[in-house]
Amino acid sequence: MSATAAIGICPRACLIKSSSEDHLIGHQPRLLSALAALVAAALAAPLSAVEELTLHVGRVDGGRWSSGDIELKLGFAAADRVSARLTTVGLELPEPFQALRALSVDCPRADVTATGLACTGAELRLSDDGGGIERLPLAMRLERKADHWRLRVAAEALDPASMWTLAARLGLAPGLEITRGRLAVTLELETGRKGRRLRLDAALSGASFSDAAGLNAGEDLDARLELRAARAESGWQTSAELSLDTGQVYLDPVFVDARNAPVTVSAAGDIEPESGRLRLSSVRLRHRGVASVDGELVVTTGGALEALALRLARAPLAPLYRTYLQPFAVGSVLDALTVDGVGEARLEWRPAPEGWRAWLKLDDANIADQDGRFSVAGVQGDVEWSEGSRPDITTLRWSGGQFYRIDYGAGVLRGRVSGRQFELEAPVEVPLLEGAVTVNALRVNDIGTRELGWQFRGNVRPMSLRALTGALAWPPFGGTLAGDIPLVSYTRGVISVDGSLDIAVFGGAVRVRQLSISNPFGVIPELRADVDVEGLSLDALTSTFSFGNIQGRLQGRIHGLILKDWKPTAFDARFATPEDDDSRHRISQRAVENLASLGGAGAVLSSTFLRIFDEFSYRRLGIGCRLANGVCDMDGVAPAEQGYYIVEGGGLPPRIDVLGFNRRVDWEVLLGRLRQIVTTNGPVIR
């Protein structure tokens, strides 16, 4: 050391002082040895020779920290009893302790033995740069044997609220309020031929905390912390373990109930003194019944990540989803799922160009939306993801599932997940409605962000419309749906189709244009579309329902269609006989009555002689409805003196006209009439 000092034993006082220009640089162990030597010299001196000893050091510089004006005062009142006071001011500490400016330890009475001293009534005072002072009661013991010494400091009944307040003033803790609890802390420092060692044990019991926003809270917490450090040739060997044994914790958005599922986090490794690099070769998280994670971690002096490798052991997916995944999915399509099966995972990080890399293995996983919107069953496979380099192919298999009320079959998906993108490597065929949908191209962008989007193209192998209407609980009708799927895109919560969907059904064609679905997985999805109908066979259409037979062709449109929660709220629909239709035009007695009931006419044949005929000829027919605000404005193929024509007679006798009289009909009333028509045998004509 560069400081000059002298040791003397005086009847009244002894001053050991360095000059104001002298520093003790990088020799903290020597300083501690000097303090211990002073105590030993005083204890070895005759009682009558010493009343008080003072050691004063002008400055100690530890490289990353420094202190000025360190002073130790020892008072001797009896052969086996001393008083001691250690103070230091002008502290300059690294982050996050930079607000701490002074500390002092006061022991009014210490019991002296041949190898050291013990003080059960000591007090530690800490001062910050804001003028705040915290007093902590301590029990201390200092032991010295030859070249070995040990300092033990214990506090058995600390108030965690006061400690937290101090930590908050020093910038070491967030703005939480601790309302109750008890804290016990033990610190041991040891040095000798085996090097230097540090041991810290802390136990928190019955603690509760919260913050002003209610985003973080804890109740009846029991927790333990064990920290160990030992100086080795290569640096400091360290280990730590934090256990939450009981209580409940909510750290937005994760909730942990440790009463049934205790949590333990531990780490072991070393600190390089020159670089300050922290290497943790063993990192462990044990959450009973939920997750078991092991890994390694390397952090630089400034806290920057250098390397990371974590491994999630094979675990049940249900508790893992509920505890650690679902809280982060609130407000999304994944926030209310029923999940089972098992899985395991790895997460790694390396410096650029590699970056992050992850692997997930699923075994017999089943995922179902609790609102019944979708499900997938029997998922097996591996998900490979890479931020930088080209990842391996992701392969997932499933045994079946459901989209709303529509069941789909087994399939295999192969693709690559790189950065925030997924791209299909091979076509995917999904059995659906007695046919299949093939996705030939699929690309997903901005995964994990609010800008998530995707695009795909494909084709449809003939699917049964009877199976579709049955699944959706619509009136059943026959036919098939087949053709190419144009570009379908999803962005900012909206599914849209670039082009038209063409459906061949009932001997004619249905073209769907301007199709879009907003909030498809939300509480109230909204569908918009324009639908055009050409050349439908009324014979094929009406034979599907309990409606009565009509022969002829039909064309029309449903424009401005809006479905909210899959229920119509607006459209402009109009259907009629084509002008150039030269097919046979016949309508059965039952179909006449049903069409009349839609127009509000009631039974039109039962009170006339026409009831003797089974069918009639007609020139043209048609009906229209403009739905808005729950009311349907009705129309037909032509105006009449009273009302409008739904069926206009013509051709060979017997001929018949069917008129509608109600221009405005409540939509729910009209739906009720339609349901009655397609679910009953229709009116009885006598």
Side-chain angles (χ1 to χ4, degrees):
M1 291 185 291
S2 61
T4 59
I7 298 178
I9 301 176
C10 312
R12 292 291 177 185
C14 177
L15 178 64
I16 303 175
K17 184 177 182 180
S18 69
S19 68
S20 60
E21 303 298 328
D22 292 330
H23 293 174
L24 298 179
I25 303 175
H27 295 285
Q28 304 93 301
R30 297 186 188 179
L31 175 61
L32 293 172
S33 298
L35 296 177
L38 175 62
V39 174
L43 294 175
L47 175 62
S48 60
V50 178
E51 292 183 6
E52 184 179 89
L53 286 177
T54 300
L55 173 66
H56 189 173
V57 178
R59 180 177 175 81
V60 175
D61 194 334
R64 298 184 63 203
W65 66 273
S66 65
S67 174
D69 294 329
I70 299 176
E71 184 175 86
L72 173 65
K73 286 187 178 182
L74 298 175
F76 301 89
D80 60 349
R81 191 168 64 251
V82 299
S83 63
R85 179 178 176 82
L86 175 67
T87 61
T88 177
V89 296
L91 285 174
E92 295 182 6
L93 302 178
E95 292 184 0
F97 303 97
Q98 69 272 20
L100 188 63
R101 294 305 181 195
L103 66 83
S104 65
V105 180
D106 195 1
C107 177
R109 173 173 174 168
D111 296 321
V112 179
T113 66
T115 58
L117 57 85
C119 181
T120 58
E123 182 181 72
L124 171 64
R125 297 183 183 181
L126 300 171
S127 303
D128 60 25
D129 54 10
I133 299 177
E134 196 68 37
R135 302 170 186 267
L136 307 176
L138 304 173
M140 304 175 59
R141 177 179 293 276
L142 177 64
E143 298 177 359
R144 190 175 191 278
K145 295 180 181 179
D147 59 351
H148 175 272
W149 64 264
R150 177 187 296 134
L151 174 64
R152 185 178 189 274
V153 180
E156 299 296 332
L158 293 175
D159 178 10
S162 299
M163 296 294 293
W164 195 267
T165 299
L166 173 63
R169 288 207 307 263
L170 297 178
L172 300 177
L176 300 176
E177 179 184 2
I178 297 182
T179 54
R180 60 189 179 91
R182 179 188 176 101
L183 178 64
V185 179
T186 301
L187 174 65
E188 289 188 4
L189 300 173
E190 185 177 358
T191 186
R193 284 177 297 178
K194 294 183 179 180
R196 283 168 280 169
R197 298 177 183 273
L198 177 146
R199 179 188 179 103
L200 173 66
D201 294 287
L204 182 67
S205 59
S208 297
F209 71 87
S210 62
D211 64 5
L215 297 177
N216 301 282
E219 186 72 25
D220 295 328
L221 302 177
D222 288 351
R224 295 175 291 108
L225 172 65
E226 297 179 0
L227 176 64
R228 307 289 184 265
R231 188 72 164 92
E233 292 183 2
S234 60
W236 285 92
Q237 300 293 324
T238 64
S239 65
E241 181 175 289
L242 174 64
S243 300
L244 180 62
D245 301 317
T246 188
Q248 297 176 308
V249 177
Y250 176 72
L251 301 176
D252 184 47
V254 175
F255 173 78
V256 173
D257 188 347
R259 295 175 300 181
N260 301 316
V263 180
T264 300
V265 180
S266 63
D270 60 83
I271 302 175
E272 297 177 357
E274 297 298 328
S275 65
R277 182 178 286 105
L278 172 64
R279 297 180 182 272
L280 298 179
S281 56
S282 175
V283 178
R284 292 184 176 181
L285 166 68
R286 299 291 184 266
H287 191 174
R288 183 188 299 172
V290 180
S292 179
V293 178
D294 293 271
E296 301 88 38
L297 173 70
V298 180
V299 179
T300 64
T301 306
L305 186 64
E306 275 198 354
L308 173 70
L310 297 176
R311 296 173 297 278
L312 171 68
R314 185 178 172 87
L317 294 175
L320 192 65
Y321 165 75
R322 288 194 302 267
T323 304
Y324 293 110
L325 301 179
Q326 186 178 24
F328 293 95
V330 172
S332 75
V333 68
L334 304 178
D335 71 348
L337 303 179
T338 299
V339 179
D340 59 39
V342 294
E344 55 186 298
R346 293 196 307 266
L347 177 66
E348 298 177 355
W349 184 87
R350 294 290 184 271
E354 293 185 39
W356 291 98
R357 191 177 187 92
W359 171 81
L360 171 66
K361 181 178 180 62
L362 297 175
D363 188 3
D364 197 23
N366 302 293
I367 303 169
D369 174 51
Q370 293 176 4
D371 293 328
R373 293 171 293 184
F374 62 87
S375 68
V376 58
V379 180
Q380 304 269 154
D382 302 281
V383 178
E384 302 274 354
W385 173 77
S386 174
E387 182 183 43
S389 58
R390 183 174 173 83
D392 294 334
I393 290 180
T394 286
T395 302
L396 289 176
R397 295 175 171 82
W398 62 89
S399 59
Q402 182 185 48
F403 183 75
Y404 286 91
R405 302 190 187 109
I406 302 174
D407 294 328
Y408 60 86
V412 181
L413 180 145
R414 293 184 177 88
R416 294 186 190 272
V417 188
S418 180
R420 295 188 178 276
Q421 295 184 339
F422 169 82
E423 190 158 3
L424 197 65
E425 288 286 318
V428 180
E429 183 174 277
V430 182
L432 188 68
L433 299 171
E434 302 174 12
V437 172
T438 300
V439 179
N440 296 315
L442 170 64
R443 184 180 181 88
V444 185
N445 304 308
D446 299 316
I447 299 172
T449 73
R450 293 185 177 181
E451 302 301 317
L452 172 70
W454 45 258
Q455 308 86 36
F456 81 87
R457 298 178 187 271
N459 57 73
V460 178
R461 199 173 68 205
M463 296 190 303
S464 167
L465 290 177
R466 182 175 295 276
L468 173 64
T469 54
L472 297 178
W474 291 352
F477 54 88
T480 59
L481 188 155
D484 292 334
I485 301 176
L487 180 65
V488 180
S489 304
Y490 173 85
T491 181
R492 297 185 179 181
V494 178
I495 297 175
S496 57
V497 178
D498 184 11
S500 63
L501 293 175
D502 295 323
I503 305 169
V505 61
F506 300 131
V510 176
R511 172 165 291 180
V512 182
R513 300 178 294 105
Q514 306 297 320
L515 175 62
S516 68
I517 305 175
S518 302
N519 198 25
F521 302 107
V523 177
I524 304 179
E526 180 177 296
L527 179 147
R528 293 174 179 264
D530 288 337
V531 181
D532 293 296
V533 174
E534 290 288 343
L536 264 63
S537 167
L538 284 170
D539 190 19
L541 176 63
T542 57
S543 63
T544 301
F545 306 99
S546 299
F547 189 84
N549 180 252
I550 304 176
Q551 296 177 23
R553 291 283 174 179
L554 187 71
Q555 70 178 18
R557 69 171 192 274
I558 308 174
H559 286 181
L561 173 64
I562 301 177
L563 303 181
K564 291 187 177 180
D565 197 19
W566 311 112
K567 298 176 182 178
T569 59
F571 59 75
D572 182 5
R574 190 168 300 275
F575 298 95
T577 304
E579 292 292 339
D580 58 351
D581 180 26
D582 57 0
S583 63
R584 188 169 185 257
H585 290 180
R586 304 292 285 180
I587 182 169
S588 72
Q589 186 182 120
R590 183 175 174 185
V592 167
E593 292 287 356
N594 286 328
L595 284 174
S597 70
L598 290 180
V604 297
L605 300 178
S606 58
S607 61
T608 72
F609 77 96
L610 293 176
R611 67 180 182 272
I612 65 174
F613 297 102
D614 292 330
E615 62 179 27
F616 306 92
S617 66
Y618 70 92
R619 188 173 74 87
R620 58 178 180 168
L621 59 76
I623 194 167
C625 167
R626 182 190 294 271
L627 175 64
N629 300 319
V631 176
C632 204
D633 288 329
M634 304 290 293
D635 198 0
V637 291
E641 290 186 7
Q642 294 182 346
Y644 49 88
Y645 285 98
I646 297 176
V647 178
E648 189 177 21
L652 297 175
R655 296 177 297 180
I656 192 170
D657 294 330
V658 178
L659 278 68
F661 297 101
N662 294 341
R663 287 286 186 178
R664 291 176 59 81
V665 180
D666 183 274
W667 173 246
E668 292 299 327
V669 172
L670 185 61
L671 279 182
R673 294 174 184 171
L674 284 170
R675 292 190 189 100
Q676 186 177 15
I677 289 171
V678 299
T679 58
T680 68
N681 291 325
V684 178
I685 302 173
R686 301 182 187 277

